[in-house]
Amino acid sequence: MKKILVVLLALVLALSAVGAFAEEVKEYDIRALIWKYDDTYGSSVRQAMQETVDELNEEGEYNIKFTMYDAADDMAKQVEQATMLVGEKPDFVIINLAEVASGQQLVDMFTEAGIPFLFYNKEPSAETVQSVVVDSGSIFIGTTPREAGDMQGEILAEMWAADPASIDVNGDGKVQFVEFMGEPNNPEAIARTQYSEETAVAQGVPLDPALDEYIIVANWDTAQAQEKMTPTWTATEGNIEVVFVNNDDMGTGVVAAMNAFGYNTGNEGDPSIIVIGVDATASALEAIKAGKMTATVKQDGDAMGYANVMIALNYLDNGTWLDGTDYEYAADGYSVRIPYAKITEVE
């Protein structure tokens, strides 16, 4: 009889342990609203988010259902997707805004539904960030907007200090340049455009706009940049020595346009102009290695994707954004900023 009781007690304890372990598995339904799937840098962040979720699920502490939605660069579509999520009531929503000035629509919807959310990559516009992020009690995960522009300017300044004649091809003592801008009201695009120029000038580069309208909006897109670089080059009669681009997708578009004029082919002896990008995409790194593109500034998609998931989970687990994590708020008090790095050579 005693043996039976001992066996039963052991069985009860074992079942209790199994039950306790099962209770420790945290089940969450997390959704992500994505600006557009065909953005190269954005794709690296999406992949990093999915890989982070997969690894956490494999480790056994979490059972996360993770679903992403492509807005295809259409805010109206993103609002429709958000409306659907409100009806389905997931545990959390990670937001990559289709339009940086339109975040309030999503904030109002998710706040009323009691669904927590955070923003990443495309920071809500300066006019809306207070209400969209700060007043809503949310957080933004991104980069320091001016840092990429500063680094682009520093790269050019370092090249100028080393060999001015290699940049000032026409020998007029100035550096003719244009800027390819992502979006006119995007904080990242504004800062990259402004500080690439200002930092280069502050560090001694005699920049000179090649056209009156030297800032060219190409919406982060390769095809648009290629299409717009062709008439820009023609309008200046080939008098452009440097092109700053807000992202590498536009940079590869600029390079493709220049190839049609026999420039930036990577072939020995062919002429080239300086093209400096941002993101360190695989295609840009290959272009730098081949001598078609000059440099880029790395924006770490892996680090951003990982941060998105881990900070969301910290909020779900503990009701706080950063307490207990390795992340810290930036000086603005509402964001986490992922650092950039300069890349001028690729082996």
Side-chain angles (χ1 to χ4, degrees):
M1 185 67 177
K2 289 182 178 179
K3 289 183 179 180
I4 294 173
L5 289 173
V6 169
V7 171
L8 288 172
L9 179 60
L11 182 59
V12 169
L13 291 173
L15 290 172
S16 297
V18 171
F21 176 77
E23 289 175 1
E24 291 177 1
V25 176
K26 301 166 186 175
E27 296 192 1
Y28 293 125
D29 180 357
I30 299 177
R31 314 291 180 92
L33 296 176
I34 310 298
W35 158 45
K36 66 174 184 175
Y37 275 17
D38 62 357
D39 176 70
T40 305
Y41 172 73
S43 296
S44 72
V45 180
R46 287 194 295 111
Q47 182 177 349
M49 288 194 291
Q50 187 63 64
E51 289 176 353
T52 301
V53 168
D54 291 344
E55 289 173 6
L56 290 169
N57 285 343
E58 288 176 7
E59 290 169 1
E61 182 180 353
Y62 291 95
N63 180 15
I64 303 167
K65 176 187 175 184
F66 184 59
T67 310
M68 293 182 276
Y69 303 85
D70 180 12
D73 197 18
D74 184 342
M75 192 65 206
K77 184 174 182 179
Q78 192 165 75
V79 170
E80 290 178 5
Q81 292 167 342
T83 302
M84 177 187 67
L85 297 192
V86 167
E88 296 180 356
K89 296 192 180 300
D91 296 302
F92 198 96
V93 180
I94 297 171
I95 305 171
N96 180 208
L97 281 172
E99 289 181 5
V100 295
S102 301
Q104 193 66 51
Q105 292 176 272
L106 305 188
V107 167
D108 293 343
M109 294 168 67
F110 292 136
T111 299
E112 184 176 352
I115 301 171
F117 53 88
L118 65 77
F119 296 91
Y120 80 94
N121 183 228
K122 295 179 67 176
E123 186 169 0
S125 63
E127 297 78 15
T128 67
V129 70
Q130 179 68 35
S131 62
V132 168
V133 181
V134 181
D135 294 346
S136 72
S138 186
I139 191 170
F140 171 72
I141 302 170
T143 52
T144 301
R146 70 170 290 170
E147 187 175 8
D150 282 335
M151 288 186 176
Q152 286 182 301
E154 289 166 4
I155 289 169
L156 183 62
E158 290 160 8
M159 295 177 66
W160 177 259
D163 187 5
S166 67
I167 301 173
D168 182 18
V169 178
N170 63 16
D172 68 352
K174 300 178 181 179
V175 177
Q176 280 71 40
F177 80 109
V178 294
E179 294 259 11
F180 274 73
M181 187 178 194
E183 296 170 289
N185 62 347
N186 182 297
E188 289 279 355
I190 293 168
R192 291 177 190 180
T193 302
Q194 176 182 348
Y195 291 106
S196 57
E197 178 179 349
E198 288 187 7
T199 299
V201 170
Q203 296 190 13
V205 183
L207 288 179
D208 179 35
L211 295 165
D212 290 339
E213 301 294 330
Y214 70 96
I215 297 175
I216 303 152
V217 176
N219 295 298
W220 312 106
D221 187 75
T222 299
Q224 287 190 40
Q226 181 175 353
E227 180 183 346
K228 293 183 178 183
M229 183 61 191
T230 299
T232 299
W233 180 258
T234 302
T236 64
E237 298 181 347
N239 193 31
I240 296 175
E241 294 162 329
V242 172
V243 182
F244 289 119
V245 292
N246 282 179
N247 77 332
D248 286 340
D249 280 0
M250 292 190 295
T252 55
V254 167
V255 167
M258 295 310 303
N259 289 168
F261 295 99
Y263 279 69
N264 293 68
T265 65
N267 298 326
E268 186 175 353
D270 283 352
S272 64
I273 61 174
I274 293 170
V275 181
I276 304 176
V278 178
D279 283 343
T281 64
S283 59
L285 295 177
E286 186 60 36
I288 293 169
K289 184 177 180 180
K292 298 179 179 182
M293 191 166 161
T294 312
T296 187
V297 177
K298 182 179 181 179
Q299 185 173 203
D300 196 336
D302 290 343
M304 184 174 293
Y306 180 80
N308 291 344
V309 173
M310 299 310 295
I311 291 172
L313 288 175
N314 196 64
Y315 185 87
L316 290 170
D317 288 346
N318 306 309
T320 179
W321 292 117
L322 303 182
D323 290 350
T325 74
D326 295 329
Y327 297 101
E328 297 180 354
Y329 279 109
D332 56 34
Y334 66 79
S335 70
V336 170
R337 304 289 173 169
I338 309 296
Y340 289 100
K342 289 183 276 189
I343 296 180
T344 56
E345 294 182 2
V346 178
E347 296 182 358

